[in-house]
Amino acid sequence: MTDKNVIGAEEYMEQLIEEDELLLQIKQTIREKGMPEVSVVPGYGRLLTMLIQLSGAKRVLEIGALGGYSGVCMARGLGEEGRIVSLELQPAYAQLAHENLRLAGYGDQVEYRVGEAMKSLEQLKEEGQRFDFFFIDADKLNYLNYLDYAIELANPGAVIAGDNLLLRGRTLNLDRNGPAIQAVREFNRRIVSDPRLTGTLLPAYDGLALARVKG
C-alpha cells in the first residue's frame, strides 16, 4: 500500500529548485521549434553553474548545444573574461542556442562550431586550444571519443561532466546491448577507473558523470 504523503526524491527536489523566467523561456523556445525537450534538468543546471564557479574555469567546451539551456547555466558561472566554445551538429539548434545566449546577455562569450563534433574536436586539437571545463551531452555512440578528446584538450585540473548516463533505464537493462548502450556503459566505467581521472557518477535523474583531470 502506497502512502500518498510520501513523494519521490526527484519530485521533492524539483519542488525546491525553481527555474527562473529566463530558463523557462528557453524551454519554451525549444518546444516551439519542435526540438527534443531533453535539456539538462534544473538541479544539474545549477550544479554546472556551481562547478564552473568553484573550479574557476575560464574556458568551457560544450559538446551538444541543443537550445542553449545548459549554455546559459554554464555562462552564469563564468566571469566576464570567460569563454564557451559550443559544438553542435544541427545549424538550427546552434542558431537558437546563440539567440538564447544573447537574450541572457552572454552572446559575446560563446562561439558555435556547427558540424560533426569529431571534426570540430580535431580542429580544436590542431589549433592547440585548451579548456578548463567540458560538458558532454550529445550522441551517445561517440561518448568514449568525446571523453578521449576532453582529456587531451584539458588543462591540468579541468572538470569533465557528462549527462544521460542511464539512457532512461536502458543502461541498467542487461538484456539491452546496443552500440550506444555499450558505449555509455564503457564511458561510465572509465569515468571512475581511468588513471588520468578522479571521477564519480551521480545516479539521480538520468545520471551525471563528474571527473577531474589529474595535473
Side-chain angles (χ1 to χ4, degrees), residues 68-176:
Y69 188 105
S70 58
V72 167
C73 291
M74 290 188 289
R76 286 175 169 178
L78 292 170
E80 292 183 0
E81 71 281 6
R83 294 292 181 270
I84 298 173
V85 175
S86 183
L87 312 184
E88 175 53 57
L89 177 64
Q90 302 291 342
Y93 292 10
Q95 180 179 347
L96 179 62
H98 205 174
E99 289 173 1
N100 284 327
L101 267 289
R102 283 195 291 264
L103 178 65
Y106 304 113
D108 294 335
Q109 292 181 255
V110 61
E111 170 195 349
Y112 288 92
R113 299 199 179 194
V114 178
E116 294 182 13
M118 293 297 293
K119 292 181 180 179
S120 296
L121 288 164
E122 185 59 29
Q123 184 178 17
L124 291 170
K125 176 183 173 181
E126 292 172 358
E127 293 170 3
Q129 298 213 35
R130 292 291 181 268
F131 299 90
D132 308 307
F133 193 95
F134 301 82
F135 183 50
I136 302 171
D137 190 11
D139 63 297
K140 311 313 175 194
L141 278 173
N142 275 309
Y143 257 40
L144 289 170
N145 294 325
Y146 297 154
L147 180 60
D148 285 334
Y149 267 108
I151 295 171
E152 192 165 3
L153 298 175
N155 286 320
V159 175
I160 300 171
D163 201 15
N164 305 125
L165 310 183
L166 302 180
L167 295 176
R168 301 192 178 188
R170 296 195 301 279
T171 306
L172 308 177
N173 185 346
L174 300 182
D175 293 328
R176 302 286 296 272

